[in-house]
Amino acid sequence: MTRANWNNSIAITGAGSGFGAALAHLYASMGWKVAVTDIDEKRAHETLQKIETQSGNSFSMQLDITRAEHWQQLQDTVLERWGGLEVLVNNAGVAAAGNIEDTSMEDWAWVLDIDLMGVVRGCHQFAAMMKTQKAGHIVNFSSFAGLAGLPFISAYGVAKAGVVALSEALRAEMHPYGVGVTVACPSFVKTGLLDTFRSTQPDSKSKVTRWMETSGVSAEYIAEEIAEAVKRNKFLFLTHAQTRTAWRLKRWFPERYYKMVAKRTSA
């Protein structure tokens, strides 16, 4: 396996829309080979059609991140076409809202299987390949909810906190092999996340939609920052200025942070 074959190659889950599509467009514009994957094969192909004039030897495929055979198919295709992989982006995910007693066990299992175990499966599938290469980078999408422990999104927050813990462990494991790890923790950004949104509270979707629309942060901006994080081998990436402030407050003054969250919860 020579690096020349897989240099400038990237595989992105959930690339039919949102962050994944923005990353596919950005890396294609830089001349990278892109594996565009999504649970919706049609959306993946549509993204590929938009980027293939800029990026040769790219491809699209259906990838349900809960299915091991789909991950194996991706790895087999990557090896056949490129001989390896430089960057893996575990982006695909879903969201759910509701308090602890109203969120069903089915919704808990759904969120954990996709948002946490989907990332685990991707890392599990490609870690050995990257160790053999002695190079590469893995980007795992978490959320600010994975750092903040916010109320009324406990299932989502637990899954995303697991992604942060996984990424911390993976970073240490991969370091001796020259493989980098980035964990991205975005807040509200307009994406397709609400397409499959589940909630026990009828007004949740409209609230989140409004927060996404007014966040002032775009998927394209986050794609650019992710590419820079990969280039610089930066581990933790928080997308919004207010979340960077909140993260510092939580680490340095945890009780003050808790009282602020509790006050908002009871308001």
Side-chain angles (χ1 to χ4, degrees), residues 146-173:
L147 299 172
L150 298 171
F152 306 120
I153 52 169
S154 53
Y156 182 73
V158 166
K160 294 301 188 177
V163 172
V164 174
L166 167 67
S167 301
E168 289 175 340
L170 185 67
R171 183 190 188 194
E173 290 182 14

Side-chain angles (χ1 to χ4, degrees), residues 19 22-24 26-27 218-228 237:
F19 298 139
L23 281 163
L26 176 63
Y27 274 91
S218 68
E220 290 73 21
Y221 163 78
I222 289 176
E224 291 174 359
E225 292 297 306
I226 288 292
E228 185 64 21
F237 168 49

